[in-house]
C-alpha cells in the first residue's frame, strides 16, 4: 500500500467565482494526486466580517479588473463563468446563506452528492447553464426543511470559524495537511504552489487525464 | 524570420516583493518566449493613491498571510525574499521615491543596466534588509550592478530634475490608465487585444494568452514550465 493520502480541505462559498475555479481544479486533481479532498461549505460573508475585509468588487478598479480576470480564467480553466447581469444584487444583497446551509445539510446527509450539488449551485449563480444534480425532488425538499435547524446552522458556523482560525480573509482557502506542517493557501492561483508543497506534478488547470469540459 | 515578438510591459516597484517575483520569472522567460520585455519603473504609492487601494498588509489577517505566502513563493520561485525586520517602517514610512526615480533615470540613460540595477535594489530591501532611500545605498546598488561610480553619481544628481520626476509620473499614470490598483502589472500587447494582468500569479495565464494568431498563423501559446524554467540557470 502506498503512502497515506494527504488531507486537503477546501473552504468555499458558491457566491465566490474564484472558489469555483479552485473547486474544479482540485476535483480534477483529486484522482491524480495522492490527496483526500475534503469539501468545506463556508460562508464568505462570515469570513469577511470576521477579518474586517471587503469583497474586492467594492474597489472600483478591482471591480473592473475582476470581470476580465474571470473571463480569461474561465477560458483557461475551462469553467463556464459568466458575470450575472445584476452582479451587485446577486453578490452583495442576496448572498448565499440558504445555499451554503443547504450544502452543509447535503454534506451531513448525502456527502457523496456534495460535489455535484455544489457545482449545480455555481452553475445557477455564475453560469448560464443549469443542469440537474441528480437529487430527487423529495431529497431536496427534505434537506431544504432541515436547513433552518440549529444543527445545520451551527455546523456552517463552525466550518466558517475553522476557516477564520486558519487565518482566512476571503475564499477560496485550501488547507494542506502535510506530515509535519499545515499550510493555508488563499485563492485559486496557489494551486501550482500547492503541487510544489505536495511534491506532485502541476499540469495546468486542465490536466490531461481528465475530461474537463463541463 | 519568425513572428514579431509581442511587447510585454512590466510595471514594478522595488518596494513590492510580488513585483520581484514577476520580474525574475519574466526575465527568465524573455529568452524563451517570443516577447520583448519592457521594464517600467513605477511608483506603487502613486498607484495606491490613485485607485483608493491600501497595501494588503494594512489588514491584519493579510499581513500575517503575506509572510508565509512570500516565504513559500520565495522557495518555489527561487528568489531570495526575506521580510525586513521593521516591515512597516520600510514599506509605509521610508518608501521608494528616490529608488524609483533612480531607476527611471537608469532607463533613460543606461537601459541595458536597468535589469541589474533593479535586481540589486530588490536584493537590498527585500533580501538583505538594507536601506534603499539614502544616496550611498543607491550608489552601492548601482555599483554592484556594474555601473561606474561616476555614472552612478551623475544619475543620482539627475534624479531631482523635472525630466526624471515627470517620466516616473507618466509611467505611473500609464499603469493607472491600464486599470492598475497595485503592482506588479503586466501588460501584454497582442495583435488584436491588450491585456492587463495583476500579480505575480497570472504568468501561467499570460503564457496561455500569448497564443493568438499572428496574421492568420495560429499560435499555440507559449509553454509554461513553472517559475523556474529549465533552460535558464535561475539561482541568484
Amino acid at each position: 500500500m502506498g503512502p497515506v493520502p494527504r488531507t486537503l480541505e477546501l473552504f468555499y462559498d458558491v457566491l465566490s467565482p474564484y472558489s469555483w475555479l479552485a473547486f474544479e481544479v482540485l476535483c480534477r486533481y483529486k484522482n491524480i494526486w495522492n490527496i483526500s479532498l475534503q469539501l468545506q461549505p463556508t460562508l464568505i460573508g462570515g469570513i469577511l466580517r470576521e477579518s474586517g475585509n471587503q469583497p474586492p468588487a467594492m474597489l472600483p478598479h478591482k471591480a473592473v479588473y475582476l470581470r476580465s480576470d474571470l473571463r480569461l480564467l474561465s477560458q483557461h480553466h475551462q469553467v463556464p463563468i459568466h458575470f450575472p447581469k445584476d452582479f451587485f444584487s446577486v453578490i452583495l444583497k442576496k448572498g448565499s446563506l440558504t445555499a451554503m446551509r443547504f450544502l452543509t445539510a447535503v454534506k451531513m446527509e448525502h456527502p457523496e452528492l456534495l460535489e455535484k450539488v455544489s457545482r449545480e449551485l455555481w452553475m445557477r449563480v455564475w453560469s448560464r447553464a443549469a443542469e440537474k444534480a441528480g437529487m430527487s425532488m423529495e431529497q431536496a425538499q427534505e434537506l431544504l426543511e432541515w436547513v433552518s435547524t440549529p444543527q445545520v446552522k451551527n455546523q456552517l458556523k463552525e466550518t466558517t470559524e475553522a476557516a477564520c482560525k486558519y487565518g482566512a480573509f476571503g475564499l477560496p482557502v485550501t488547507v494542506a495537511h502535510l506530515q509535519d506542517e499545515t499550510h493555508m493557501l488563499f485563492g485559486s492561483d496557489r494551486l501550482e504552489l500547492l503541487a510544489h508543497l505536495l511534491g506532485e506534478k502541476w499540469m495546468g488547470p486542465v490536466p490531461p487525464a481528465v475530461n474537463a469540459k463541463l
Side-chain angles (χ1 to χ4, degrees), chain A:
Chain A
M1 182 185 149
V4 181
R6 277 74 53 84
T7 298
L8 227 67
E9 296 181 85
L10 175 66
F11 294 87
Y12 67 99
D13 185 324
V14 297
L15 212 58
S16 156
Y18 291 99
S19 289
W20 193 9
L21 292 169
F23 170 91
E24 292 300 350
V25 177
L26 289 176
C27 286
R28 288 164 191 161
Y29 275 98
K30 71 179 196 268
N31 297 318
I32 300 176
W33 292 344
N34 187 28
I35 56 173
S36 166
L37 182 61
Q38 307 297 320
L39 298 176
Q40 302 285 28
T42 314
L43 204 60
I44 196 170
I47 304 276
L48 295 176
R49 259 192 308 276
E50 212 288 286
S51 63
N53 199 9
Q54 296 198 95
M58 298 308 290
L59 194 82
H61 277 61
K62 285 191 188 182
V64 171
Y65 182 71
L66 274 186
R67 282 177 177 271
S68 66
D69 195 42
L70 287 168
R71 186 174 46 83
L72 295 174
L73 290 171
S74 162
Q75 290 167 21
H76 187 218
H77 285 55
Q78 293 181 34
V79 177
I81 292 176
H82 300 282
F83 245 71
K85 272 200 202 72
D86 190 3
F87 171 71
F88 277 101
S89 167
V90 167
I91 304 304
L92 300 174
K93 285 204 203 135
K94 289 179 161 180
S96 56
L97 187 57
T98 309
M100 297 320 295
R101 280 179 178 164
F102 184 69
L103 288 179
T104 302
V106 169
K107 179 169 179 171
M108 290 163 91
E109 287 298 297
H110 302 285
E112 71 288 356
L113 290 177
L114 181 56
E115 181 183 330
K116 288 198 166 144
V117 182
S118 300
R119 180 174 292 121
E120 172 65 15
L121 287 172
W122 265 306
M123 287 289 205
R124 284 171 182 279
V125 180
W126 279 102
S127 193
R128 293 189 194 124
E131 297 156 18
K132 287 194 196 286
M135 185 175 285
S136 75
M137 220 2 162
E138 223 171 45
Q139 282 174 318
Q141 278 297 96
E142 257 182 55
L143 283 175
L144 272 173
E145 284 165 9
W146 201 33
V147 149
S148 26
T149 61
Q151 232 176 324
V152 174
K153 287 184 180 183
N154 286 336
Q155 181 57 65
L156 178 57
K157 241 190 229 157
E158 276 179 37
T159 304
T160 304
E161 268 162 23
C164 290
K165 270 218 197 73
Y166 281 123
F169 46 83
L171 293 177
V173 154
T174 304
V175 179
H177 297 268
L178 307 182
Q179 192 174 34
D180 299 321
E181 333 161 296
T182 297
H183 293 289
M184 183 284 267
L185 302 174
F186 166 69
S188 60
D189 43 28
R190 287 291 179 274
L191 302 180
E192 181 175 13
L193 178 64
L194 173 65
H196 169 80
L197 292 173
L198 291 169
E200 298 278 8
K201 195 162 154 53
W202 174 249
M203 295 175 280
V206 187
V210 179
N211 176 18
K213 291 232 171 16
L214 291 174

